[in-house]
Amino acid sequence: MGPLSLVLLLLSAQWSCAQEDPLLPFSEHLDPEHNVRLKWGFDEIQGTILFQLTVNTSGWVGFGFSPKGGMTGADIVIGGVGPKGSYFTDRHAGGNSIPVIDQQQNYKLLSLTESDGKTVMKFQRSVESCDENDLSITNLPMKLIYAYGQSDDIVYHINRRGTKEVNLLKYMPRVTPPNSKYFDMTMANFSVPANQTYYHCKIMRAPTFERKQHIYRIEPFITNFDLVHHLLLYRCPPTVTEPFEVQCYTGGGEECMETVAVWGVGGGAFELPEMAGLPIGGNIGDFFYRLEVHYNNPNKSAGRVDNSGLRFYYTSELRQHDAAILMTGLAVAPGYAIPPKAKSFLTYGLCDTAYIPKVLESPHDLQVFSVMLHTHLAGRKVRVGHFRGGKQIDLLAVDENYNFEYQEVTNLGKTKTVKLGDKLLVECTYNTENRATLTWGGLSTSEEMCLSFLFYYPAMNLSSCVSFPNLQTLAPAMGATDTDIWVNMMYKNTWNDTSINQYQQTLKKIDQLVIVVDSFTNGSFNPGMIPDLKVIPPAPCMSGCAIKSLALISLLLCLAVHWASL
C-alpha cells in the first residue's frame, strides 16, 4: 500500500467513524443557539465515560460539572488549539474566577482539533471521583456547565456560557419529528380474573401503512398500576390471520413469539437512539401482533376492568437502521427447579450465536444498544456475559441489585458488537431462604424466569436464542433413572448448603439444549456447555498519562472497524 493510499484510508476511516461512533450514542445541544454540542457514551462495567464537545469557536472551550449550576465548586476541563499546538487541563473553580489547574489530572485527552471555525475536544474520565477536586457522575441529573472564548487567551467569557441539566447515565433522548404520530395497542375493557397470577393475550392488527415507518418511542399506557406487572408485544407469523383474545399459553397465539416491545413494573417510556427505529408498515408486511399482559393480583380482587397496553410514537423520517429485540436467557419451562433455603442460587441461559445461520439465510452481527433484564420475586442479580473465541471479553449488562418492583429498559451507554459465533450467558442469582418448597421455572410470579431482552440493529428475522438443561443428562447425573424419579427425588431431597451447591454445580456442568427460533417459529436445537462467568473489575481512576497511546488506540480501532467493513 502506497503513502497516498494509506492517507486516503486514514481519512476514510476517520470520516466513517465521524458518521456513526458506537461509543458516543447520546447527544445534546447545551445552548439554545446550538453552538455547543455534547456527545457521550459510558461503560458502567469499566466505570468510564467518554465525551466529545463540539463548539463553534476557534478559541478556548470549557466544560464541566457544577453542584449548583455556577462556577463555585465546579469540576472543569479547558482546552483548545493555539498557535503553539493543543492544550488541555483538568481544573476546579473556587468562585467566579479563572479555574485553578488540578494537581492530579484525571481527564484523558483523546483528540483535539480545530477547523472551519469549530473546535472538537474528545476526552475520557472515570465515572467516580478520583480526587477531592472531581465530582462523581451519578444516576441522577447533573448540572453541566460550558463556556468558550473567541481566542486562545483564557479570559472572561462574557455571555458565551450556560448551564443545562442532563442525566448522563440514565439518559432518555426526547425528540419530536415534525410528522410525529402515535397509535395505541391496548386491552379493551378486559375484566381481570380474581386470580393471583393471570396472563391475558390479545391478538390484533396494528395500523397499516403503505410506506415503512419507524417507531422511535414506546410508552406504557397503564390503567391499573397495582395489577399490571409487565407487558409484551410479539409479532405473529403470517399464519395468524384473525384477531382473538385468550388466556395466554392455553392453546392460542403461542406461535407469535418475536418480541417487538417490552415493559416491566416500575419502568417508564423508552426512546430508541437516533440511528435506529423499530420498523412497521411497508415491506414489513401486514402482520398481526400479540399483546401479552401479566396481571399480578395477590389480593385476588374481583370486578376490576383494565385497558392497559402500549403507545407507539412513529415517524416517516426513517432512521439509518431497523432495530429489533432478541430474547436470550433460560427457556421458560417447568423442567428446572430452584431449591428452597438457598442464599444465592445461580441459573444460566446460553445463547450461542454460531447457531443463528441454521435458521437465517443471511445473518449478521448484532449491534446491541439497550437491554431489559427480567426475573421474578426470588431474583437478586442478573449478569449477561459476553464470550468470543472461548474467552470472556465483557459483561454485556449487569444488575447487581435487581428489584422486582423496578424493571426498565436501560441504555448500555455505548453500542456493543456481538459477532456471529459469540456466546451470551445470562446468569441469574436467586434467594429462596424464606421458601420451604421448590421454585419451578414458569410464568407465575411465584415461579421464576431468567431472561435478557436485547435491543439491537440491524434487525433480523430472529425471535429468541435461549437454552435449557438437558433433562436426559440431568436425571442420571443426580442418580435418577428417569425424569419422573428425578422430580420425586427433588421434592424429597433434604436441602442444605451442601445439597444446594451440589445441585447447582450439576446444572452447570451438564450439557445444555441451545434453542434458536426465527420470526416464523422455525427452530434449531443444538448442544452447548455453560462457560465460566467472571466479574470484570472496573478500571482504576484515571490520571494524566498515556494520552498519545490512547489516541493511537482510538485511531487503530477506527481503522479496524473500517477494514472489517471492506
Side-chain angles (χ1 to χ4, degrees), residues 261-314:
V262 56
W263 173 86
V265 61
F270 172 71
E271 192 150 319
L272 283 83
E274 60 184 356
M275 78 286 291
L278 294 169
I280 191 170
N283 59 6
I284 300 302
D286 190 15
F287 291 102
F288 276 79
Y289 293 81
R290 174 166 66 96
L291 175 64
E292 174 186 306
V293 181
H294 176 194
Y295 294 102
N296 185 35
N297 188 2
N299 296 324
K300 298 182 180 180
S301 302
R304 302 284 296 275
V305 176
D306 187 67
N307 293 282
S308 298
L310 295 164
R311 174 164 290 177
F312 298 89
Y313 290 83
Y314 66 94

Side-chain angles (χ1 to χ4, degrees), residues 360-364 460:
L360 297 182
E361 290 184 0
S362 301
H364 50 69
M460 293 185 284

Side-chain angles (χ1 to χ4, degrees), residues 94-262:
N96 293 325
S97 58
I98 296 177
V100 179
I101 297 176
D102 290 1
Q103 288 187 347
Q104 184 176 336
Q105 296 289 294
N106 295 311
Y107 289 75
K108 289 186 177 181
L109 179 65
L110 301 180
S111 64
L112 184 49
T113 60
E114 179 187 300
S115 64
D116 299 326
K118 292 181 183 289
T119 297
V120 182
M121 187 165 67
K122 189 174 183 179
F123 53 97
Q124 190 177 24
R125 60 156 282 182
S126 295
V127 171
E128 297 293 332
S129 170
C130 292
D131 65 36
E132 62 182 7
N133 295 317
D134 293 336
L135 294 181
S136 293
I137 299 171
T138 70
N139 288 331
L140 299 175
M142 298 190 68
K143 293 177 175 63
L144 311 183
I145 60 174
Y146 68 89
Y148 58 96
Q150 294 179 319
S151 71
D152 289 296
D153 295 325
I154 304 174
V155 295
Y156 184 55
H157 44 64
I158 312 178
N159 63 344
R160 295 179 292 272
R161 54 167 288 278
T163 302
K164 187 166 187 176
E165 192 170 69
V166 179
N167 193 332
L168 296 169
L169 299 184
K170 295 291 183 182
Y171 182 69
M172 180 63 67
R174 187 65 190 257
V175 299
T176 305
N179 59 349
S180 175
K181 300 178 182 179
Y182 70 84
F183 64 88
D184 295 334
M185 300 186 76
T186 68
M187 295 296 168
N189 297 322
F190 173 66
S191 296
V192 181
N195 297 3
Q196 181 174 343
T197 292
Y198 186 85
Y199 284 75
H200 193 67
C201 283
K202 181 180 179 180
I203 309 297
M204 69 186 100
R205 195 190 298 272
T208 57
F209 304 98
E210 290 186 7
R211 296 176 53 198
K212 183 171 78 172
Q213 313 283 314
H214 266 161
I215 295 168
Y216 65 90
R217 183 179 175 87
I218 305 172
E219 290 183 353
F221 187 86
I222 311 298
T223 56
N224 291 287
F225 281 96
D226 61 325
L227 292 180
V228 179
H229 177 260
H230 70 252
L231 304 167
L232 286 164
L233 186 71
Y234 300 98
R235 182 180 289 122
C236 299
T239 53
V240 178
T241 58
E242 296 293 336
F244 62 91
E245 294 188 44
V246 68
Q247 181 179 352
C248 302
Y249 309 105
T250 59
E254 285 85 355
E255 63 270 43
C256 308
M257 286 302 294
E258 182 180 3
T259 308
V260 174
V262 56

Side-chain angles (χ1 to χ4, degrees), residues 13 16-17 20 22 555-566:
S16 173
C17 288
E20 180 186 326
L555 178 59
L556 290 175
L557 287 173
C558 192
L559 283 172
V561 171
H562 176 80
W563 281 328
S565 65
L566 295 180

Side-chain angles (χ1 to χ4, degrees), residues 330-331 333 335-337 347-350 467-474 486 503 506-508 510-515 528 530:
L330 183 59
Y336 78 92
T347 66
Y348 303 92
L350 177 67
S467 75
F468 201 77
N470 187 340
L471 297 182
Q472 294 182 345
T473 305
L474 177 60
W486 170 76
Y503 173 52
T506 301
L507 275 176
K508 183 181 177 183
I510 65 169
D511 59 307
Q512 310 290 310
L513 183 64
V514 181
I515 309 161
I530 301 298

Side-chain angles (χ1 to χ4, degrees), residues 354-368:
Y355 296 129
I356 293 178
K358 288 192 173 185
V359 297
L360 297 182
E361 290 184 0
S362 301
H364 50 69
D365 298 344
L366 291 78
Q367 306 298 331
V368 181

